[in-house]
Amino acid sequence: MPTPTQPQLEPLDRTQVLTAMGITALVLLIASRFWLAFDTVDMLPVSVRPSAVGLGVALALGISLASEGAYRLWPAYRTSADTYLALVIKPLTWVDLIWLGLLPGLSEELLFRGVMLPAIGLNWFGVLVSSLCFGVLHYSGSQQWSYVVWATVVGAALGASALLTGNLLVPIVAHIVTNLISSSTWKLKQLEVSG
């Protein structure tokens, strides 16, 4: 019987996780296209520059370090992160982690920072609203509330990077690299525990 601190989630297999990632990315891309079809939004540009890539990687490293700190100091987040990562990452192969970086990194950034942020307003209110929506997207049950809080904070950092640079490539790179770091770190920790 599950306890409040240890919820039981049905384990997924590799195909289910990859399918869910693909469908979610597709739904978010379709939502972005529909939004653009019915609203005249000037999307943030994707300017491919080494400085934007560097800023994205630096932001990813900062988010990853902050996540590690939150993981060590905040028990609710640690439990929530472990539950979520076990559900999503455990069945995946190392090569699959590339998809885990790319699919959400591209589709979520396109919707939340590329379309939603400019539609609401390229200001701190827009960052707040789009970040809250981004956090809610990561809701997987009331036991996982701390993961939603963390995702909202990360969304705010990604939104701030888009607002301050005016370049959607910065949060895209940050999101992809953060996902790659967190998933690889978690997989490595599991190897250490089992080996």
Side-chain angles (χ1 to χ4, degrees):
M1 176 175 231
T3 63
T5 57
Q6 295 179 329
Q8 283 296 101
L9 294 174
E10 195 64 35
L12 302 174
D13 65 29
R14 177 177 179 258
T15 303
Q16 290 171 318
V17 172
L18 291 172
T19 301
M21 281 191 322
I23 290 171
T24 301
L26 185 61
V27 167
L28 294 177
L29 291 172
I30 291 170
S32 298
R33 288 301 302 158
F34 270 114
W35 194 321
L36 291 171
F38 295 105
D39 192 1
T40 55
V41 175
D42 289 329
M43 284 185 51
L44 283 176
V46 176
S47 301
V48 180
R49 296 187 180 123
S51 61
V53 173
L55 282 171
V57 170
L59 179 57
L61 293 173
I63 290 169
S64 297
L65 287 172
S67 177
E68 185 62 29
Y71 185 87
R72 291 175 188 263
L73 300 172
W74 187 12
Y77 173 68
R78 180 173 43 254
T79 301
S80 186
D82 281 341
T83 301
Y84 180 81
L85 295 173
L87 182 71
V88 174
I89 296 170
K90 188 175 184 177
L92 297 180
T93 67
W94 284 95
V95 173
D96 295 336
L97 299 184
I98 295 168
W99 292 112
L100 184 66
L102 289 173
L103 289 175
L106 292 170
S107 62
E108 292 174 11
E109 291 312 308
L110 177 63
L111 177 60
F112 292 103
R113 263 60 71 180
V115 176
M116 186 181 291
L117 178 59
I120 296 168
L122 285 171
N123 52 44
W124 294 108
F125 178 75
V127 169
L128 175 66
V129 172
S130 63
S131 301
L132 288 170
C133 293
F134 179 74
V136 169
L137 175 73
H138 292 81
Y139 178 80
S140 61
S142 60
Q143 299 296 327
Q144 309 304 320
W145 66 269
S146 57
Y147 202 79
V148 172
V149 171
W150 179 250
T152 302
V153 170
V154 170
L158 296 170
S161 75
L163 182 64
L164 294 172
T165 65
N167 187 349
L168 189 58
L169 185 64
V170 175
I172 288 173
V173 169
H175 197 148
I176 291 169
V177 173
T178 299
N179 283 2
L180 290 171
I181 290 171
S182 65
S183 59
S184 299
T185 302
W186 191 87
K187 272 256 197 235
L188 286 171
K189 285 180 183 176
Q190 297 311 302
L191 283 176
E192 290 173 7
V193 170
S194 64

